[in-house]
């Protein structure tokens, strides 16, 4: 039971190795923000440009974040952001795509 009394000395919320990871944390925050934006805007048919572009950029930042991530907690958050980005991207593509309605 001695381990229950030890303080948590981890470097941050997502860094379980005790070291700071500013690049990975930034990529995680950007991917989550883009994923939420893409997913929410994909629920509206007229916002297909926003959802498809934010989804595409979210997929790219999430993929790079997965490549440079160090801890499992970072990867878990990145997978959530990637999933939201992908759903938003695909629904945006189904509603009109990246350039749909602009070329007319």
């Amino acid at each position: 039971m001695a381990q229950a009394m030890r303080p948590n000395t981890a470097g941050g919320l997502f860094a379980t190795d005790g070291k700071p990871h500013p690049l990975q944390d930034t990529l995680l925050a950007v991917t989550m923000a883009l994923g939420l934006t893409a997913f929410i805007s994909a629920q509206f048919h007229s916002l297909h440009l926003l959802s498809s572009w934010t989804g595409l950029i979210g997929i790219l930042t999430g993929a790079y974040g997965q490549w440079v991530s160090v801890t499992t907690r970072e990867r878990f958050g990145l997978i959530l952001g990637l999933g939201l980005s992908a759903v938003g991207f695909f629904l945006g593509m189904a509603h009109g795509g990246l350039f749909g309605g602009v070329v007319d």
Side-chain angles (χ1 to χ4, degrees):
M1 263 321 209
Q3 67 271 17
M5 298 303 292
R6 280 191 223 154
N8 185 7
T9 58
L13 180 62
F14 301 111
T16 55
D17 60 353
K19 300 174 187 171
H21 303 123
L23 174 65
Q24 290 84 356
D25 293 342
T26 303
L27 287 170
L28 172 61
V30 168
T31 303
M32 285 298 288
L34 289 170
L36 282 171
T37 303
F39 183 77
I40 292 170
S41 63
Q43 308 307 314
F44 304 98
H45 185 75
S46 61
L47 295 177
H48 62 88
L49 289 173
L50 177 65
S51 62
S52 59
W53 280 106
T54 56
L56 179 62
I57 296 169
I59 290 170
L60 295 175
T61 58
Y64 182 70
Q66 282 286 347
W67 187 47
V68 299
S69 66
V70 178
T71 65
T72 303
R73 288 184 186 176
E74 293 166 352
R75 293 182 187 120
F76 179 76
L78 284 166
I79 288 296
L80 290 177
L82 271 167
L84 290 171
S85 295
V87 170
F89 173 71
F90 290 133
L91 287 174
M93 292 300 287
H95 289 161
L98 296 169
F99 303 105
V102 178
V103 182
D104 293 336

